[in-house]
Amino acid sequence: MQANVQWQKDLVFTATTGSGQTVHMDGNKTEAASPMELVLAAAGGCSSVDVVSILEKARQEVTACRCEVQGERADAVPAVFTKIHLHFVVTGRDVAEKHVERAVQLSAEKYCSVAKMLEASVTLTHSFSIEQAD
């Protein structure tokens, strides 16, 4: 994998990934997400891919999945994340709690590459709730 990051102006940058996708970043958070916000988004995105995939394989009728990610940063420079909490809100029809619990656990302990990389220096916690679809 690879990516190229190009300075645009001020603290605005554009990253182009090896697959040709682009992501904008802004150190001032006025025109785009900051790089640290994207770290949280990457953790939530990676884990969400796992959770949805596992639930689909378990034949759960999931209609939506949202991951609410909260991060706490150190007070000193560098202001690294010290804690990250991922809360999954799974919506579907008759989704079994045991399947969601297993999917979240498997993502956290085995599959999510971003979480596994971060857990070396960050306390990662997870929770979930289930909402019934209309």
Side-chain angles (χ1 to χ4, degrees):
M1 297 182 93
Q2 62 93 26
N4 292 307
V5 178
Q6 179 68 41
W7 178 43
Q8 302 299 315
K9 64 179 181 175
D10 300 321
L11 294 179
V12 178
F13 295 82
T14 300
T16 304
T17 66
S19 63
Q21 305 303 314
T22 59
V23 177
H24 301 286
M25 298 174 279
D26 184 354
N28 289 323
K29 299 185 240 178
T30 56
E31 293 187 29
S34 74
M36 289 301 280
E37 288 174 318
L38 292 176
V39 170
L40 290 181
C46 183
S47 291
S48 293
V49 166
D50 295 335
V51 168
V52 169
S53 177
I54 292 164
L55 289 172
E56 285 179 342
K57 287 176 184 165
R59 295 193 170 108
Q60 297 298 291
E61 194 176 345
V62 176
T63 59
C65 180
R66 179 175 77 248
C67 185
E68 300 167 350
V69 187
Q70 295 289 324
E72 291 182 28
R73 295 176 72 180
D75 290 330
V77 174
V80 299
F81 286 113
T82 55
K83 297 178 183 177
I84 296 175
H85 181 77
L86 294 90
H87 178 74
F88 296 90
V89 180
V90 177
T91 304
R93 293 178 186 84
D94 300 319
V95 175
E97 183 174 334
K98 69 177 184 177
H99 286 295
V100 177
E101 183 176 25
R102 180 176 174 272
V104 169
Q105 182 180 8
L106 282 171
S107 176
E109 295 176 0
K110 187 173 183 180
Y111 293 116
C112 180
S113 302
V114 175
K116 296 306 282 180
M117 184 175 57
L118 290 171
E119 75 181 9
S121 59
V122 179
T123 301
L124 286 169
T125 56
H126 304 78
S127 61
F128 68 89
S129 58
I130 301 169
E131 296 178 350
Q132 185 67 23
D134 295 333

